[in-house]
Amino acid sequence: MSRRYVAGVLLLGLIQGLEPSPVVGAPVEGTVASPAAVAEAETAFEQGVALYRSGQKDEALVVFRGFLVRHADSPLLDKATLYMARIFLDQGRYPEALLYLERIPADRRGTEARFIEGVALVETGETVGGMALLLPLQQAPLFETDKARLFAALAKGHARQGQPLKGLFFLRQALDLGGERDQILAEAHRILGGTLGDGELEEAAFLFKGTAIGQDATLQRAWRALAAGRTAAARQLVEELQRDSTPFPYRREVAQLQDRLAGGRWLQRDTVGVILPLSGRYATFGTLARRGIELAGKVHEAEHPPVRFIFRDTGTDPEQSAKAIAQLANEERVMAIIGPLSANAALGAAQRAQEEGIPMIALSHREGVPETGDYVYRNSLTNQMQARALARYAVTDRGITAFGVLHPQEKQGEELTELFAQEVKKLGGLVVEVESYPVKSTDFRRQILRFKGENPDAPEEEASPPLAEGSGEPLPQAPKLPAVTFDALFIPDYAERVGLIAPQLAFYGLEGVQLLGINGWNSPDLVRRAGKYVEKAVFVDGFFRYSPYPFVKEFVDLYYQTYGEEPSILEAQAYDTALILLSLLAREEIGSREELRLALSRLQNYPGVTGATSFNLQGEAEKVLFLLQVKNGNIDQIN
């Protein structure tokens, strides 16, 4: 019996709040089930089966879980376990399905168990093992719905293994058996829009002619022909699609493609889409970003024809962002998209924008967004950006080479610590000491004493100096060594916590080091809480409302006149993003999304209120951040 199996059983028991019970399938010595117990087990099993067949799967799970605990010696145990695995498979909870299958000894697993295991393995990414189980089951006596699911899993496996045509063949079989049509055609659409060569795509259109999959293959050929400038070939393929009335879910794209080929102005060059959370718990942030975008539109209109923004509310639903991208790209025919803002919506939206071939500039700091593809950009202050700017200032401008870090024990603090250490090392410096503290700490004595090489648990010693033997005179004192081994201390936290840390640094004797911080320090609370203890501290930010730059002052004044408030970095980033797009769309030579994408990739030092902005090869904004320092109790810009 595997350790994974035993651990899984114990874990499930804890999750379900059950008392510890014998491992399922283990013999229970000295017990013989009474007729009453046998009848009770059969009744419970039949109840679970009836609930499952009536579609009440959650209720069936409850019954079968109770069965496994109370009737561990029943001959129906394997069947009840198999039903649980089946329910988890139906619900898309594949790891749990596999965990329950492990309860059934390998020599007692029949066709259905191998089917469930194979599908679950493919769905969890274990393609080779899953297909090894599923391929021999193609002629097995399974229900048609199960066989359709088997073929769909084999399709996914073959596509992953670089055999897309085989994948499409199995999808066609799944479709013929009455499988989930929408899911099957969506998977076919993903395969057809992937890495197939032109020859393979033509072969797919021929092999599956007269089916929804064949129609989709022809549509993909038409799009490729248009993209390659072969308009006559594209027009012929569109006519072929129109003659074939076979229903498939992408008919709308056929109409859009015909519109473009007819010579009409398909794209709305004066329209930009925006996806923001304008309802739900992030609505406040979405509204602030919208203000910045609309203000940019007013500024642009002073010297250029107006550009229309179409806003779509994504709420808190990640899937809504991807749907909004598709709608804006194909129905509203916008040139580009600004957003999304929230981290949970960013990746799905980026993937859809890349699929649609529409430039998107995200405002989210979610990791990995620009790497999605060459149509995806990001204009947001990231941890990487802050760490790089601070390291360059400290090492290159100030000549500091030894650093300490004091960070909170949470994701951002740990990430900034790692990024700062990497950037410092690239420049020839080194982080020599790192201490951390719980997020809600108010006492930092232990960390500070460890920085000084002292034991925070040691008893306090007498302060009087030792005397020379016989004379009673004090012994000569050795030169005092520096309190710490570093010259600058980086604290990646917010002003409220720094206001507690800085005075304690001085109190426990850690003085004379340069304090360095992130944009979370840029708050009146910093000086109000820490006072003289943060004098000369330096930190970075992506926006500084009191900057002496004229264009920043103009933005702040205009924003205040319009909304009666001072802007934050969120409005400033949205303002810059909108103006970047508007300035590029004002160029007559930019008439397509591809030309706009190329222009974004070549953008250099756009003079935005959030710093001079360029985009690197991955689509990440590179900025000259604001370097800020506390001087005489005020926060001043020093670059």
Side-chain angles (χ1 to χ4, degrees):
M1 186 176 294
S2 71
R3 285 178 293 175
R4 176 185 170 197
Y5 163 54
V6 175
V9 171
L10 295 176
L11 175 61
L12 283 169
L14 290 172
I15 292 173
Q16 297 158 14
L18 303 174
E19 294 297 323
S21 59
V23 174
V24 175
V28 182
E29 295 182 5
T31 61
V32 177
S34 66
V38 170
E40 182 186 348
E42 290 176 350
T43 300
F45 178 80
E46 289 171 2
Q47 181 188 3
V49 172
L51 287 168
Y52 173 79
R53 289 177 176 171
S54 66
Q56 302 178 71
K57 296 181 182 179
D58 288 332
E59 292 81 358
L61 271 180
V62 173
V63 173
F64 284 127
R65 276 181 174 139
F67 183 96
L68 264 61
V69 173
R70 290 187 290 273
H71 305 290
D73 56 348
S74 170
L76 296 171
L77 186 67
D78 289 350
K79 290 185 178 180
T81 306
L82 186 62
Y83 264 107
M84 292 196 71
R86 159 74 74 170
I87 293 170
F88 286 127
L89 184 78
D90 292 345
Q91 295 179 337
R93 298 160 66 179
Y94 306 113
E96 291 165 279
L98 291 169
L99 183 61
Y100 271 90
L101 284 174
E102 285 193 7
R103 296 183 173 204
I104 304 174
D107 60 348
R108 297 211 298 267
R109 295 180 198 169
T111 298
E112 186 177 3
R114 293 196 299 275
F115 157 73
I116 294 172
E117 184 178 4
V119 172
L121 286 172
V122 170
E123 293 291 350
T124 53
E126 297 185 41
T127 306
V128 174
M131 291 183 68
L133 287 169
L134 295 177
L135 283 168
L137 299 180
Q138 293 180 67
Q139 304 302 324
L142 293 169
F143 291 114
E144 283 195 353
T145 53
D146 283 350
K147 189 157 285 188
R149 189 159 192 178
L150 180 146
F151 288 144
L154 286 174
K156 188 172 290 188
H158 280 296
R160 285 181 189 160
Q161 294 179 337
Q163 298 174 303
L165 287 178
K166 278 191 176 181
L168 292 170
F169 171 75
F170 281 110
L171 286 177
R172 166 67 188 274
Q173 289 185 284
L175 205 57
D176 290 344
L177 287 168
E180 291 289 340
R181 180 178 173 83
D182 290 345
Q183 294 179 16
I184 292 169
L185 294 182
E187 179 66 14
H189 190 63
R190 187 191 65 78
I191 293 174
L192 290 165
T195 57
L196 274 76
D198 289 347
E200 290 177 309
L201 199 55
E202 184 176 358
E203 185 177 354
F206 174 78
L207 288 173
F208 303 108
K209 187 175 179 63
T211 69
I213 295 175
Q215 290 285 80
D216 199 353
T218 302
L219 175 63
Q220 300 305 320
R221 291 183 64 204
W223 279 118
R224 287 196 189 181
L226 180 64
R230 295 183 283 110
T231 55
R235 189 174 290 109
Q236 182 179 352
L237 290 166
V238 168
E239 291 172 356
E240 182 181 329
L241 285 166
Q242 290 173 326
R243 286 194 300 269
D244 190 338
S245 60
T246 303
F248 80 116
Y250 305 100
R251 279 279 170 199
R252 187 175 59 194
E253 286 191 38
V254 178
Q256 293 165 358
L257 188 51
Q258 183 187 30
D259 187 16
R260 294 180 67 171
L261 288 167
R265 191 175 123 180
W266 188 79
L267 286 176
Q268 303 292 326
R269 282 198 72 257
D270 59 349
T271 309
V272 172
V274 185
I275 56 174
L276 294 171
L278 301 174
S279 63
R281 66 179 183 272
Y282 301 127
T284 299
F285 304 109
T287 300
L288 292 178
R290 179 171 185 161
R291 284 181 176 183
I293 292 167
E294 290 178 334
L295 194 63
K298 291 180 181 179
V299 170
H300 181 77
E301 285 179 23
E303 298 181 3
H304 302 88
V307 171
R308 185 167 60 110
F309 292 106
I310 299 179
F311 290 88
R312 288 289 180 268
D313 178 16
T314 60
T316 57
D317 182 5
E319 293 184 5
Q320 189 60 33
S321 293
K323 291 178 181 177
I325 292 280
Q327 184 186 48
L328 289 167
N330 297 312
E331 295 181 16
E332 302 293 351
R333 299 175 289 171
V334 301
M335 282 289 287
I337 292 174
I338 298 172
L341 182 61
S342 63
N344 62 347
L347 285 179
Q351 289 165 0
R352 192 56 186 262
Q354 184 65 28
E355 290 172 8
E356 298 289 350
I358 183 169
M360 183 188 94
I361 305 181
L363 301 174
S364 168
H365 60 269
R366 173 71 180 265
E367 183 180 354
V369 171
E371 289 83 356
T372 304
D374 55 358
Y375 279 89
V376 181
Y377 295 80
R378 191 228 310 269
N379 185 26
S380 182
L381 181 67
T382 64
N383 290 338
Q384 177 78 62
M385 207 180 291
Q386 294 190 72
R388 182 181 296 122
L390 203 58
R392 286 176 179 172
Y393 163 76
V395 178
T396 305
D397 297 350
R398 292 285 303 278
I400 300 171
T401 55
F403 299 85
V405 181
L406 179 60
H407 70 85
Q409 295 168 358
E410 45 83 36
K411 182 179 178 181
Q412 175 164 296
E414 291 165 357
E415 181 179 292
L416 277 161
T417 297
E418 182 178 351
L419 291 171
F420 181 73
Q422 291 171 358
E423 294 297 333
V424 163
K425 187 175 182 181
K426 289 177 187 176
L427 297 169
L430 194 65
V431 170
V432 296
E433 298 281 351
V434 177
E435 291 288 344
S436 66
Y437 52 87
V439 174
K440 296 183 179 180
S441 293
T442 57
D443 183 357
F444 305 92
R445 170 182 170 275
R446 301 182 66 82
Q447 290 85 354
I448 297 170
L449 292 181
R450 282 197 290 263
F451 274 143
K452 296 174 64 182
E454 300 176 12
N455 182 359
D457 298 315
E460 294 186 10
E461 299 179 356
E462 293 291 335
S464 56
L467 303 178
E469 189 175 347
S471 68
E473 296 294 326
L475 285 172
Q477 297 295 300
K480 190 174 181 179
L481 296 175
V484 292
T485 58
F486 50 82
D487 300 312
L489 179 63
F490 175 46
I491 308 176
D493 208 335
Y494 290 85
E496 179 182 4
R497 195 71 47 195
V498 177
L500 297 173
I501 295 172
Q504 292 185 44
L505 292 173
F507 181 83
Y508 292 112
L510 202 164
E511 298 179 283
V513 298
Q514 173 66 60
L515 297 183
L516 302 171
I518 60 172
N519 70 315
W521 289 37
N522 187 13
S523 167
D525 283 348
L526 180 70
V527 177
R528 182 172 60 82
R529 291 173 180 270
K532 64 181 182 180
Y533 301 107
V534 289
E535 186 68 20
K536 296 185 180 180
V538 174
F539 47 95
V540 294
D541 204 346
F543 177 64
F544 184 49
R545 65 172 64 95
Y546 305 113
S547 171
Y549 293 154
F551 51 89
V552 174
K553 187 176 186 305
E554 289 172 8
F555 164 68
V556 172
D557 290 345
L558 181 59
Y559 188 93
Y560 188 84
Q561 292 168 14
T562 306
Y563 300 110
E565 299 174 3
E566 289 189 336
S568 69
I569 188 173
L570 184 57
E571 298 99 298
Q573 286 175 167
Y575 177 84
D576 274 355
T577 301
L579 279 181
I580 286 171
L581 285 174
L582 296 177
S583 67
L584 295 178
L585 290 175
R587 299 181 187 174
E588 291 184 3
E589 69 271 19
I590 295 178
S592 70
R593 290 169 178 169
E594 172 63 14
E595 289 165 345
L596 178 58
R597 181 194 69 79
L598 287 171
L600 282 168
S601 70
R602 296 166 181 164
L603 186 75
Q604 291 293 320
N605 296 319
Y606 177 84
V609 298
T610 57
T613 304
S614 308
F615 290 110
N616 64 19
L617 293 176
Q618 283 73 43
E620 188 77 78
E622 292 188 337
K623 292 176 176 288
V624 178
L625 298 186
F626 293 88
L627 278 170
L628 308 175
Q629 185 175 47
V630 179
K631 291 183 179 180
N632 301 318
N634 295 310
I635 297 175
D636 291 338
Q637 181 180 334
I638 60 173
N639 64 329

